[in-house]
Amino acid sequence: MPNTLGVQAQATTGGVIRTVEQLTKLRLQALESDLPLIVIGDGSNIVPANQTRACIGVMRIPGIYTRKASGDAVCVEVAAGESWHALVLFCLARGLHGLENLALIPGRVGAAPIQNIGAYGVELADYVQAVDVIDGEGSHHRLNRDECEFSYRDSVFKRRTDLVVTHLHLELCTEFRPILDYPGVRSALEQLGVAPFKAADLVNAVMAIRREKLPDPLREPNAGSFFVNPIVSFDTANRLRSQLGDLQTYAYDGQVKLSAAELIDKAGWKSRGSKKVSCWPQQPLVIVNRGETEAEKILQFAYGIQEDIQQRFQVSLELEPSVLS
């Protein structure tokens, strides 16, 4: 089973999905075998067991289509098997704007709405019109943005695991309206030395930030961010400021978003771990695998971080990747 964490994993059965019809057949195969159907992309956000009891579908349905909407809006329909970063570059080359801050996020388009991927002040939900899915009965549905129930790193698809994403419908803009709320983005643009900057410069700046902070999974196997940044009350944030001093906080929907990486760093986990499993020094949200073959050993390390953060700061860290058993 493909996975960027680099652990040995084998599913009971499965196959590659290149058409909606193949997805339907694989669902029937899973049903006849009394197995759950789990559809993955590149395996960049999963922790699979060495022997995973499931029918695994590797999503590869291709296709990107555009059509003019009203004013400066353009609708983009993307099949779930397309590479997310390739989609960002496709839109950039055609002057379709909005996704620049989401450059270089690993994985396939079908995974994007499940997590409501986000980075540097932008969330996928900001641009979603609708999502096409097939449910557990094999019926086709088109969910509008509200029906997707998007929130921070969350969506209806996390709760309705029977829904398989087949296509994503986005509304982008022909006018470049950069979002520069994240301080590091402005700094990266300044380092590029371009003024006034264009959309391609913003994409290059975001890519530079990610490459500086995050390990390449081809060289340092990892599942991306292992923990979700916690959302807490103002009282909790104030208590942590008193306890820790300087603390990064971000207003989010009437509450406060904390940096999980900062909490992990302040708890000393950058210098802990083993020769095979540890946090990435530049971004402790990422757990890197340097030779461990068993997913359980990596999860034990992650659970240790969760328990320590809970005890020290009374803050719960949620695992971001899906654990497949």
Short mmCIF file of all heavy atoms in Angstrom, two decimals, residues 286-312:
data_model
loop_
_atom_site.label_atom_id
_atom_site.label_comp_id
_atom_site.label_asym_id
_atom_site.label_seq_id
_atom_site.Cartn_x
_atom_site.Cartn_y
_atom_site.Cartn_z
N VAL A 286 5.71 17.64 12.41
CA VAL A 286 5.98 16.53 11.50
C VAL A 286 6.82 15.48 12.21
O VAL A 286 7.89 15.79 12.75
CB VAL A 286 6.71 17.02 10.23
CG1 VAL A 286 7.04 15.84 9.31
CG2 VAL A 286 5.85 18.04 9.49
N ILE A 287 6.36 14.25 12.20
CA ILE A 287 7.12 13.12 12.73
C ILE A 287 7.77 12.40 11.55
O ILE A 287 7.09 12.02 10.60
CB ILE A 287 6.22 12.16 13.51
CG1 ILE A 287 5.67 12.85 14.76
CG2 ILE A 287 6.97 10.88 13.90
CD1 ILE A 287 4.68 12.01 15.56
N VAL A 288 9.08 12.25 11.60
CA VAL A 288 9.81 11.62 10.50
C VAL A 288 10.20 10.20 10.88
O VAL A 288 10.51 9.90 12.04
CB VAL A 288 11.05 12.44 10.09
CG1 VAL A 288 10.64 13.76 9.47
CG2 VAL A 288 11.97 12.67 11.28
N ASN A 289 10.18 9.35 9.87
CA ASN A 289 10.51 7.94 10.04
C ASN A 289 11.86 7.68 9.39
O ASN A 289 12.01 7.82 8.18
CB ASN A 289 9.44 7.08 9.38
CG ASN A 289 9.76 5.59 9.46
OD1 ASN A 289 10.67 5.17 10.17
ND2 ASN A 289 9.02 4.80 8.71
N ARG A 290 12.84 7.30 10.18
CA ARG A 290 14.19 7.07 9.66
C ARG A 290 14.56 5.59 9.71
O ARG A 290 15.71 5.24 9.98
CB ARG A 290 15.20 7.91 10.45
CG ARG A 290 14.99 9.42 10.30
CD ARG A 290 16.16 10.21 10.86
NE ARG A 290 16.07 11.61 10.52
CZ ARG A 290 15.56 12.55 11.31
NH1 ARG A 290 15.06 12.22 12.49
NH2 ARG A 290 15.53 13.81 10.92
N GLY A 291 13.58 4.75 9.44
CA GLY A 291 13.90 3.33 9.36
C GLY A 291 12.95 2.41 10.09
O GLY A 291 13.11 1.19 10.03
N GLU A 292 11.94 2.97 10.76
CA GLU A 292 10.96 2.13 11.46
C GLU A 292 10.01 1.52 10.44
O GLU A 292 9.49 2.19 9.55
CB GLU A 292 10.17 2.96 12.47
CG GLU A 292 9.21 2.16 13.31
CD GLU A 292 9.89 1.03 14.04
OE1 GLU A 292 10.69 1.30 14.95
OE2 GLU A 292 9.60 -0.13 13.67
N THR A 293 9.77 0.22 10.55
CA THR A 293 8.89 -0.47 9.60
C THR A 293 7.48 -0.67 10.16
O THR A 293 6.56 -0.96 9.40
CB THR A 293 9.47 -1.84 9.20
OG1 THR A 293 9.64 -2.64 10.39
CG2 THR A 293 10.80 -1.66 8.49
N GLU A 294 7.32 -0.53 11.47
CA GLU A 294 6.03 -0.78 12.10
C GLU A 294 5.34 0.54 12.44
O GLU A 294 5.88 1.37 13.17
CB GLU A 294 6.20 -1.61 13.37
CG GLU A 294 6.75 -3.02 13.12
CD GLU A 294 6.87 -3.82 14.39
OE1 GLU A 294 6.06 -3.56 15.33
OE2 GLU A 294 7.74 -4.68 14.48
N ALA A 295 4.13 0.70 11.93
CA ALA A 295 3.38 1.92 12.19
C ALA A 295 3.11 2.11 13.68
O ALA A 295 3.08 3.23 14.18
CB ALA A 295 2.06 1.89 11.42
N GLU A 296 2.93 1.00 14.40
CA GLU A 296 2.60 1.08 15.83
C GLU A 296 3.69 1.81 16.61
O GLU A 296 3.40 2.54 17.57
CB GLU A 296 2.37 -0.32 16.39
CG GLU A 296 1.90 -0.33 17.84
CD GLU A 296 0.60 0.43 18.05
OE1 GLU A 296 -0.25 0.42 17.14
OE2 GLU A 296 0.46 1.05 19.13
N LYS A 297 4.96 1.62 16.23
CA LYS A 297 6.06 2.29 16.92
C LYS A 297 5.99 3.80 16.71
O LYS A 297 6.28 4.58 17.63
CB LYS A 297 7.39 1.75 16.41
CG LYS A 297 7.61 0.26 16.64
CD LYS A 297 7.83 -0.05 18.11
CE LYS A 297 8.09 -1.54 18.33
NZ LYS A 297 9.29 -2.04 17.65
N ILE A 298 5.60 4.22 15.53
CA ILE A 298 5.47 5.65 15.24
C ILE A 298 4.29 6.23 16.01
O ILE A 298 4.35 7.32 16.56
CB ILE A 298 5.32 5.87 13.73
CG1 ILE A 298 6.60 5.42 13.02
CG2 ILE A 298 5.03 7.34 13.41
CD1 ILE A 298 6.52 5.39 11.52
N LEU A 299 3.19 5.47 16.07
CA LEU A 299 2.03 5.92 16.82
C LEU A 299 2.33 6.03 18.31
O LEU A 299 1.85 6.95 18.99
CB LEU A 299 0.86 4.96 16.60
CG LEU A 299 0.17 5.06 15.23
CD1 LEU A 299 -0.84 3.94 15.07
CD2 LEU A 299 -0.51 6.42 15.06
N GLN A 300 3.12 5.12 18.84
CA GLN A 300 3.49 5.20 20.26
C GLN A 300 4.22 6.50 20.55
O GLN A 300 3.99 7.13 21.60
CB GLN A 300 4.36 4.00 20.63
CG GLN A 300 3.60 2.68 20.73
CD GLN A 300 4.51 1.49 20.97
OE1 GLN A 300 5.72 1.64 21.16
NE2 GLN A 300 3.95 0.29 20.95
N PHE A 301 5.09 6.92 19.64
CA PHE A 301 5.80 8.19 19.80
C PHE A 301 4.80 9.34 19.78
O PHE A 301 4.86 10.26 20.62
CB PHE A 301 6.83 8.35 18.68
CG PHE A 301 7.63 9.61 18.75
CD1 PHE A 301 8.62 9.77 19.71
CD2 PHE A 301 7.41 10.64 17.86
CE1 PHE A 301 9.37 10.94 19.78
CE2 PHE A 301 8.15 11.81 17.91
CZ PHE A 301 9.13 11.97 18.88
N ALA A 302 3.85 9.31 18.85
CA ALA A 302 2.84 10.37 18.74
C ALA A 302 1.96 10.40 19.98
O ALA A 302 1.64 11.49 20.50
CB ALA A 302 1.99 10.16 17.49
N TYR A 303 1.57 9.24 20.49
CA TYR A 303 0.73 9.19 21.69
C TYR A 303 1.48 9.75 22.89
O TYR A 303 0.89 10.36 23.78
CB TYR A 303 0.29 7.75 21.98
CG TYR A 303 -0.61 7.15 20.91
CD1 TYR A 303 -0.62 5.77 20.68
CD2 TYR A 303 -1.45 7.94 20.13
CE1 TYR A 303 -1.44 5.21 19.71
CE2 TYR A 303 -2.27 7.39 19.16
CZ TYR A 303 -2.25 6.02 18.95
OH TYR A 303 -3.06 5.46 17.99
N GLY A 304 2.78 9.53 22.92
CA GLY A 304 3.59 10.09 24.00
C GLY A 304 3.57 11.61 23.99
O GLY A 304 3.51 12.27 25.04
N ILE A 305 3.61 12.20 22.80
CA ILE A 305 3.52 13.66 22.68
C ILE A 305 2.15 14.13 23.15
O ILE A 305 2.03 15.09 23.92
CB ILE A 305 3.76 14.08 21.21
CG1 ILE A 305 5.21 13.78 20.81
CG2 ILE A 305 3.43 15.56 21.02
CD1 ILE A 305 5.51 14.07 19.35
N GLN A 306 1.09 13.46 22.69
CA GLN A 306 -0.26 13.84 23.10
C GLN A 306 -0.41 13.85 24.62
O GLN A 306 -0.93 14.81 25.22
CB GLN A 306 -1.28 12.87 22.52
CG GLN A 306 -1.61 13.07 21.05
CD GLN A 306 -2.67 12.10 20.59
OE1 GLN A 306 -2.56 10.89 20.81
NE2 GLN A 306 -3.70 12.61 19.95
N GLU A 307 0.05 12.77 25.25
CA GLU A 307 -0.10 12.64 26.70
C GLU A 307 0.68 13.72 27.44
O GLU A 307 0.19 14.31 28.41
CB GLU A 307 0.38 11.25 27.13
CG GLU A 307 0.22 10.98 28.62
CD GLU A 307 0.67 9.59 29.01
OE1 GLU A 307 1.01 8.80 28.10
OE2 GLU A 307 0.70 9.30 30.22
N ASP A 308 1.89 14.01 26.97
CA ASP A 308 2.72 15.01 27.62
C ASP A 308 2.11 16.41 27.50
O ASP A 308 2.09 17.18 28.47
CB ASP A 308 4.12 14.99 27.00
CG ASP A 308 5.11 15.83 27.78
OD1 ASP A 308 4.98 15.92 29.02
OD2 ASP A 308 6.02 16.43 27.16
N ILE A 309 1.62 16.75 26.32
CA ILE A 309 1.01 18.07 26.12
C ILE A 309 -0.24 18.22 26.98
O ILE A 309 -0.51 19.28 27.55
CB ILE A 309 0.67 18.29 24.63
CG1 ILE A 309 1.95 18.28 23.77
CG2 ILE A 309 -0.09 19.61 24.44
CD1 ILE A 309 2.99 19.30 24.16
N GLN A 310 -1.00 17.15 27.10
CA GLN A 310 -2.20 17.18 27.94
C GLN A 310 -1.83 17.41 29.40
O GLN A 310 -2.46 18.22 30.10
CB GLN A 310 -2.98 15.87 27.79
CG GLN A 310 -4.24 15.78 28.63
CD GLN A 310 -5.29 16.80 28.21
OE1 GLN A 310 -5.63 16.89 27.05
NE2 GLN A 310 -5.79 17.57 29.17
N GLN A 311 -0.81 16.71 29.87
CA GLN A 311 -0.41 16.83 31.27
C GLN A 311 0.20 18.19 31.58
O GLN A 311 -0.08 18.79 32.62
CB GLN A 311 0.57 15.72 31.63
CG GLN A 311 -0.07 14.34 31.69
CD GLN A 311 0.93 13.25 32.06
OE1 GLN A 311 2.14 13.47 32.10
NE2 GLN A 311 0.42 12.05 32.34
N ARG A 312 1.05 18.68 30.68
CA ARG A 312 1.75 19.96 30.91
C ARG A 312 0.83 21.16 30.78
O ARG A 312 0.87 22.10 31.59
CB ARG A 312 2.90 20.13 29.91
CG ARG A 312 4.11 19.26 30.14
CD ARG A 312 5.09 19.46 29.01
NE ARG A 312 6.24 18.58 29.09
CZ ARG A 312 7.41 18.92 29.65
NH1 ARG A 312 7.57 20.13 30.15
NH2 ARG A 312 8.41 18.06 29.69
#
